[in-house]
Amino acid sequence: MGGFDCKPVSGELTYGLERLAMYIQNKDSIFDLAYNNATADRPAITYGDVFRENERQMSTYHFEVADTDMLFDAFKKATAECENCLERSLPIPAYEQAIKASHIFNILQARGVISVQERASYMGRVRDLAKGSCQAWMEKNGWTA
Amino acid sequence: MTDFLLELRSEEIPARMQVKAKEDLARLFNDALAKAGLAAASVETFATPRRLALIATGLPLATDAVSEETKGPKVGAPPQAMEGFLRKAGLTQDQLIERDGVYFAVVEKAGRQTADVLAEAIPAIIRAFPWPKSQRWGAGSASTESLRWVRPLQGIVAILGDDVVPCEIEGIISGTATMGHRFHHSGPVTIGNAGDYAEKLRDAHVLVHFSERCALIRDGAKAAAAAAGLTLVADEGLVVENAGLTEWPVPMLGRFELAFLEVPQEVIQLTARVNQKYFVCHDSAGKLANAFVCTANIDAHDGGAAIVAGNEKVLAARLSDAKFFWEQDLKVALDDQATKLAQITFHEKLGSVADKVERVAKLARWLVEEGIVGSCSPAQAGAQPANNDSSDKVLDPGLRRGTQELADQAERAARLCKADLVTGMVGEFPELQGLMGGYYARAQGEADAVADAVRDHYKPVGQGDDVPTAPVTVAVSLADKLDTLAQFFAAGMPPTGSKDPFALRRAAIGFLSLLLQNDLRCSLKDMLLATGAATTFDSLEEFLVDRLKVQQREAGVRHDLIDAVFSLGGEDDLVRLLARVNALQAYITTAEGANLLAAYKRAANILKAADGVDAAAPAPADLVAEERALLTALDTAAPNAAAAVDAEDFEGAMAALASLRAPIDAFFDGVMVNDEDPAKRAFRLGLLARFRDAVHRVADFSRIEG
């Protein structure tokens, strides 16, 4: 994690539940997934009934609306705040700012305003913040790599 | 003599690592044997997703006993020397052997059992294995010192002859049991020896030979397509990849909806190949068919119907995304897409992508208007100097109109060429940049030359890629690369060492290929000035000449000869530079050329040692014949060489140099340069200086090696 070996090794499962459910329920569209156990007196509710509006609004926002100037600015500020926390040996809030920067980068990506040449540099910056947070955590605990 | 089997079984090894892993296993094994003084008659390696294996034949059962002799001090050497030697050898003086007045230590090393050598070597090979990526796992991972392997290592089979080679690494103990196919075979498979390994596993639905799986996939995919009346689009990369994903490969044909064929076929092919590892097929008319061939890792009960259905579903989801992007993108004019480039930063020091597009458009137009790029290049039209400010006056009106149209098209194509970067399709499939722009440009009615230029302006991507020849494409492609190179160098970001984050080396190779292949004549300086980047460009010119050396190495052009011509200065038309270098190389590799080079080096050495040389030193009254002959030859050769170079007759220039060879040889044979008479010496040194200068009309021979 952050370039350091963990002991023991940690892991995560990254299967999308929706994708798995589509196979289990044999549905071609995520919005057709059954969301409940429909019966005669309990009407069927689909995944679409619950989430389609959310999906629509979030898509419109991320692809068309999000203010890129504000986001570029927010990315810079999150980066600076992360470094500020690291200077004061506060790895936990530093890591929160790193995650925030990462999220803002994702939105900028979705808005399509980061060129191929720039993409690597942004990802490098986020990685450095995460690594710095991990490094600070190691130091705080007196651990060596 | 006996045989040895080693199998290292793990969770699934990524397909792309298996071929290299086979090579590494053979190398590490052979090294371990060699260190112990052993060698196998043959070593064969195997790889499947779940195992890496090796069979060595013809191994001796034990290593030979060897006696190692170490030379020690002389008899009568100081006692300190003797003590030191005895300590190092671990012997006492009476155990040494004396021969010819020198002591020798002889250590007898008994032979070792091959099984013992192997038992030591196996864990060492596992620990030293150079996987590109490795991991730790399980309880052992509580320590960062734990074993690393590409995926969790699960078992070791190690059998010499018919006996287990006992070894252990991190709780995994060697034995005779392995596992068969993950679904076709349950329970362990017991291997008897190296001889029955492949067959026992075949019975357990595992084909250990990589090449056998490749052949099955290659032939099976072809047959599956043929059975549907289609032709498989052969793809050896996919064959190898699928062989690395399966232990029991079964190719089968699936279909997708006809409507997806509306999407450009490259998109379908890319999705199928890169994301899904599927082959695609052509119909009898040679067009892409609505079918694919996937490779299952199982003989399914239902003949594969469920597997095919599952794969069809995955591909359909991907293709419907692609179709959505295609339809959405077609609704927006490329000109409108291009306006969005103003919001994309090209590089924080170099402005937006729209800024870059503006620069490239100007440069592309300039390249055409200057006659550097055209339907009829100046070189073909009879070697017009590229830098002719009055070139407009000599063009006939028809040709000028043609140039204007070409310039308009180049500018137009340049303005559209990056617009596809903001389309949905390229956002999803970045590999399709350029190609999609070409489709969208054609769909909105752009001229073919413009659409082609948008499509191909990234080419050539590295050495070996197709080099564009269509004038509009050449202009845009050249301008794009030139701008990138000039801007990054001007901003102080050249590649350093192994770091080339902006792929400037690739841009340089592309730039050079475009120039040379299309015979584009222009001064490099003029082109760099036209980019408008604010810098002196010395380092960029050097960088480009360095790249030229790398690029030309394959064609057998000597780098020292490129230096010899370039270092003269003033030659920055790279097409002409290369023509000069080629003529020079043809001459310098003849016996006569080698002689002239030797004479040049001799002259250069004498001149270097001399105190002051005046090329115009007056001739004394009594010239000897050799001096007179050289003087006469120089009077003709020097102007001839210069004139030939100016006329781009480089063979002629070489011939002019060749005429100096006999006189300079005779001069060295018959004349003493450093004569006692200062006037004679000064004149002779002057002659040599003139000889050197004449040679320098063609190339700086001091740069030539050998």
Coordinates of all heavy atoms in Angstrom, one line a residue, chain B residues 271-313:
Chain B
T271 N -12.5 -4.0 -30.0 CA -13.3 -4.5 -28.8 C -13.1 -6.0 -28.7 O -12.9 -6.5 -27.6 CB -14.8 -4.2 -29.0 OG1 -14.9 -2.8 -29.3 CG2 -15.5 -4.4 -27.7
A272 N -13.3 -6.7 -29.8 CA -13.3 -8.1 -29.7 C -11.9 -8.6 -29.3 O -11.7 -9.5 -28.5 CB -13.7 -8.7 -31.1
R273 N -10.9 -8.0 -29.9 CA -9.5 -8.5 -29.7 C -9.0 -8.1 -28.4 O -8.6 -9.0 -27.6 CB -8.6 -7.9 -30.8 CG -7.2 -8.3 -30.7 CD -6.4 -7.6 -31.7 NE -5.2 -8.4 -32.0 CZ -4.2 -8.5 -31.1 NH1 -4.2 -7.8 -30.0 NH2 -3.1 -9.2 -31.4
V274 N -9.0 -6.8 -28.1 CA -8.3 -6.3 -26.9 C -9.1 -6.6 -25.6 O -8.5 -7.1 -24.7 CB -8.0 -4.8 -27.0 CG1 -7.3 -4.3 -25.7 CG2 -7.2 -4.5 -28.2
N275 N -10.4 -6.4 -25.6 CA -11.1 -6.6 -24.4 C -11.5 -8.0 -24.2 O -11.6 -8.5 -23.0 CB -12.3 -5.7 -24.4 CG -11.9 -4.2 -24.5 OD1 -12.2 -3.6 -25.5 ND2 -11.2 -3.7 -23.6
Q276 N -11.8 -8.7 -25.3 CA -12.4 -10.1 -25.1 C -11.5 -11.2 -25.6 O -11.9 -12.4 -25.4 CB -13.7 -10.1 -25.8 CG -14.7 -9.0 -25.4 CD -15.0 -9.0 -24.0 OE1 -15.1 -7.9 -23.4 NE2 -15.2 -10.1 -23.3
K277 N -10.4 -10.9 -26.2 CA -9.5 -11.9 -26.8 C -10.2 -12.8 -27.8 O -10.0 -14.0 -27.9 CB -9.0 -12.9 -25.7 CG -8.7 -12.3 -24.3 CD -7.6 -11.3 -24.3 CE -7.4 -10.7 -22.9 NZ -6.9 -9.3 -23.0
Y278 N -11.1 -12.2 -28.6 CA -11.8 -13.0 -29.6 C -11.2 -12.7 -31.0 O -10.7 -11.6 -31.3 CB -13.3 -12.5 -29.8 CG -14.2 -12.6 -28.5 CD1 -15.3 -11.9 -28.4 CD2 -13.9 -13.5 -27.5 CE1 -16.2 -12.0 -27.3 CE2 -14.7 -13.6 -26.4 CZ -15.8 -12.8 -26.3 OH -16.6 -12.9 -25.2
F279 N -11.3 -13.7 -31.8 CA -10.9 -13.6 -33.2 C -12.2 -13.0 -34.0 O -13.3 -13.2 -33.5 CB -10.6 -14.9 -33.9 CG -9.4 -15.6 -33.3 CD1 -9.5 -16.4 -32.2 CD2 -8.1 -15.4 -33.9 CE1 -8.4 -17.1 -31.7 CE2 -7.0 -16.0 -33.4 CZ -7.1 -16.9 -32.3
V280 N -12.0 -12.3 -35.1 CA -13.1 -11.9 -35.9 C -13.0 -12.6 -37.2 O -12.0 -13.3 -37.5 CB -13.1 -10.3 -36.1 CG1 -13.5 -9.6 -34.8 CG2 -11.9 -9.9 -36.7
C281 N -14.1 -12.5 -38.0 CA -14.2 -13.3 -39.2 C -14.7 -12.4 -40.4 O -15.3 -11.4 -40.2 CB -15.3 -14.4 -39.1 SG -15.0 -15.5 -37.7
H282 N -14.3 -12.8 -41.6 CA -14.8 -12.2 -42.8 C -15.8 -13.1 -43.5 O -15.7 -14.3 -43.4 CB -13.6 -11.9 -43.7 CG -12.8 -10.8 -43.3 ND1 -11.5 -10.6 -43.8 CD2 -13.0 -9.7 -42.5 CE1 -11.0 -9.5 -43.3 NE2 -11.9 -8.9 -42.5
D283 N -16.7 -12.4 -44.2 CA -17.7 -13.2 -45.0 C -17.0 -13.5 -46.4 O -15.9 -13.1 -46.6 CB -19.0 -12.5 -45.1 CG -18.9 -11.1 -45.8 OD1 -17.9 -10.9 -46.5 OD2 -19.8 -10.3 -45.7
S284 N -17.8 -14.1 -47.2 CA -17.2 -14.6 -48.5 C -16.8 -13.3 -49.4 O -15.9 -13.5 -50.2 CB -18.2 -15.4 -49.3 OG -19.4 -14.7 -49.4
A285 N -17.4 -12.2 -49.1 CA -17.0 -11.0 -49.8 C -15.8 -10.3 -49.2 O -15.4 -9.2 -49.7 CB -18.2 -10.0 -49.9
G286 N -15.3 -10.8 -48.1 CA -14.1 -10.2 -47.5 C -14.5 -9.1 -46.5 O -13.6 -8.4 -46.1
K287 N -15.7 -9.0 -46.2 CA -16.1 -7.9 -45.3 C -16.3 -8.6 -43.9 O -16.6 -9.8 -43.7 CB -17.5 -7.3 -45.7 CG -17.2 -6.4 -46.9 CD -18.5 -5.8 -47.5 CE -19.2 -4.8 -46.5 NZ -20.4 -4.3 -47.1
L288 N -16.2 -7.7 -42.9 CA -16.3 -8.2 -41.5 C -17.7 -8.8 -41.3 O -18.7 -8.3 -41.7 CB -16.2 -7.0 -40.5 CG -15.9 -7.4 -39.1 CD1 -14.5 -8.0 -38.9 CD2 -16.0 -6.2 -38.1
A289 N -17.7 -10.0 -40.7 CA -19.0 -10.7 -40.5 C -19.5 -10.5 -39.1 O -18.7 -10.2 -38.2 CB -18.8 -12.2 -40.8
N290 N -20.7 -10.8 -38.8 CA -21.3 -10.6 -37.5 C -21.0 -11.9 -36.6 O -21.9 -12.5 -36.1 CB -22.8 -10.2 -37.5 CG -23.6 -11.4 -38.0 OD1 -23.2 -12.1 -38.9 ND2 -24.8 -11.5 -37.5
A291 N -19.7 -12.2 -36.6 CA -19.4 -13.5 -35.9 C -18.0 -13.3 -35.2 O -17.2 -12.5 -35.7 CB -19.4 -14.6 -36.8
F292 N -17.8 -14.1 -34.2 CA -16.4 -14.1 -33.5 C -16.1 -15.5 -33.1 O -17.0 -16.3 -33.0 CB -16.5 -13.1 -32.3 CG -17.4 -13.5 -31.2 CD1 -17.0 -14.3 -30.2 CD2 -18.8 -13.2 -31.3 CE1 -17.9 -14.8 -29.2 CE2 -19.7 -13.6 -30.3 CZ -19.2 -14.4 -29.2
V293 N -14.8 -15.7 -32.8 CA -14.5 -17.0 -32.3 C -13.8 -16.8 -30.9 O -12.8 -16.0 -30.8 CB -13.5 -17.7 -33.2 CG1 -13.0 -19.0 -32.6 CG2 -14.2 -18.0 -34.5
C294 N -14.4 -17.4 -29.9 CA -13.8 -17.3 -28.6 C -13.2 -18.6 -28.2 O -13.4 -19.6 -28.9 CB -14.8 -16.9 -27.5 SG -16.2 -18.0 -27.4
T295 N -12.3 -18.6 -27.2 CA -11.6 -19.9 -26.8 C -12.0 -20.3 -25.4 O -11.6 -19.6 -24.5 CB -10.1 -19.7 -26.9 OG1 -9.8 -19.2 -28.2 CG2 -9.4 -21.1 -26.7
A296 N -12.8 -21.3 -25.3 CA -13.1 -21.8 -23.9 C -12.0 -22.7 -23.4 O -11.2 -23.2 -24.1 CB -14.4 -22.6 -24.0
N297 N -12.0 -22.9 -22.1 CA -11.0 -23.7 -21.4 C -11.7 -25.0 -20.9 O -11.3 -25.5 -19.9 CB -10.4 -22.9 -20.2 CG -9.3 -23.6 -19.6 OD1 -8.6 -24.4 -20.2 ND2 -9.1 -23.4 -18.3
I298 N -12.7 -25.5 -21.7 CA -13.4 -26.6 -21.2 C -14.2 -27.3 -22.3 O -14.5 -26.6 -23.3 CB -14.4 -26.1 -20.1 CG1 -14.9 -27.2 -19.2 CG2 -15.6 -25.3 -20.7 CD1 -15.6 -26.7 -17.9
D299 N -14.4 -28.6 -22.2 CA -15.3 -29.3 -23.1 C -16.7 -29.3 -22.4 O -16.9 -30.1 -21.5 CB -14.9 -30.8 -23.3 CG -14.1 -31.0 -24.6 OD1 -14.3 -30.2 -25.5 OD2 -13.2 -31.9 -24.6
A300 N -17.5 -28.4 -22.8 CA -18.8 -28.2 -22.0 C -19.8 -29.3 -22.4 O -19.8 -29.9 -23.5 CB -19.4 -26.9 -22.3
H301 N -20.7 -29.7 -21.4 CA -21.7 -30.7 -21.5 C -22.6 -30.3 -22.7 O -23.1 -31.2 -23.4 CB -22.6 -30.8 -20.3 CG -21.8 -31.1 -19.1 ND1 -21.1 -32.3 -19.0 CD2 -21.7 -30.5 -17.9 CE1 -20.5 -32.3 -17.8 NE2 -20.9 -31.3 -17.1
D302 N -22.9 -29.0 -22.8 CA -23.9 -28.6 -23.8 C -23.3 -28.3 -25.1 O -23.9 -27.5 -25.9 CB -24.8 -27.5 -23.3 CG -23.9 -26.2 -23.0 OD1 -22.6 -26.4 -23.1 OD2 -24.4 -25.2 -22.6
G303 N -22.0 -28.7 -25.3 CA -21.4 -28.3 -26.5 C -20.9 -26.9 -26.6 O -20.5 -26.4 -27.6
G304 N -21.0 -26.2 -25.4 CA -20.6 -24.8 -25.3 C -21.7 -23.8 -25.5 O -21.4 -22.6 -25.6
A305 N -22.9 -24.2 -25.6 CA -24.0 -23.3 -25.9 C -24.1 -22.2 -24.8 O -24.2 -21.0 -25.2 CB -25.3 -24.0 -26.0
A306 N -23.9 -22.6 -23.6 CA -24.0 -21.6 -22.5 C -22.8 -20.6 -22.5 O -23.0 -19.4 -22.3 CB -24.1 -22.3 -21.1
I307 N -21.7 -21.2 -22.8 CA -20.4 -20.4 -22.9 C -20.6 -19.4 -24.0 O -20.3 -18.2 -23.9 CB -19.2 -21.3 -23.1 CG1 -19.0 -22.1 -21.8 CG2 -18.0 -20.4 -23.4 CD1 -17.9 -23.1 -22.0
V308 N -21.0 -19.8 -25.2 CA -21.2 -18.9 -26.3 C -22.2 -17.9 -26.0 O -21.9 -16.7 -26.3 CB -21.6 -19.7 -27.6 CG1 -22.0 -18.8 -28.7 CG2 -20.4 -20.6 -28.1
A309 N -23.3 -18.3 -25.4 CA -24.3 -17.3 -25.0 C -23.8 -16.2 -24.1 O -24.0 -15.0 -24.2 CB -25.5 -18.0 -24.4
G310 N -23.0 -16.6 -23.1 CA -22.4 -15.7 -22.2 C -21.4 -14.7 -22.9 O -21.4 -13.5 -22.6
N311 N -20.6 -15.3 -23.8 CA -19.7 -14.4 -24.5 C -20.4 -13.5 -25.4 O -20.0 -12.3 -25.6 CB -18.7 -15.3 -25.3 CG -17.6 -15.8 -24.4 OD1 -16.7 -15.1 -23.9 ND2 -17.6 -17.1 -24.2
E312 N -21.5 -14.0 -26.0 CA -22.3 -13.1 -26.9 C -22.8 -11.9 -26.1 O -22.9 -10.8 -26.6 CB -23.4 -13.9 -27.6 CG -22.9 -14.8 -28.7 CD -24.0 -15.7 -29.3 OE1 -25.0 -15.9 -28.7 OE2 -23.8 -16.2 -30.4
K313 N -23.2 -12.2 -24.9 CA -23.8 -11.2 -24.1 C -22.8 -10.1 -23.7 O -23.1 -8.9 -23.8 CB -24.4 -11.8 -22.8 CG -25.2 -10.9 -21.9 CD -25.9 -11.8 -20.9 CE -26.6 -11.0 -19.9 NZ -27.6 -11.7 -19.1

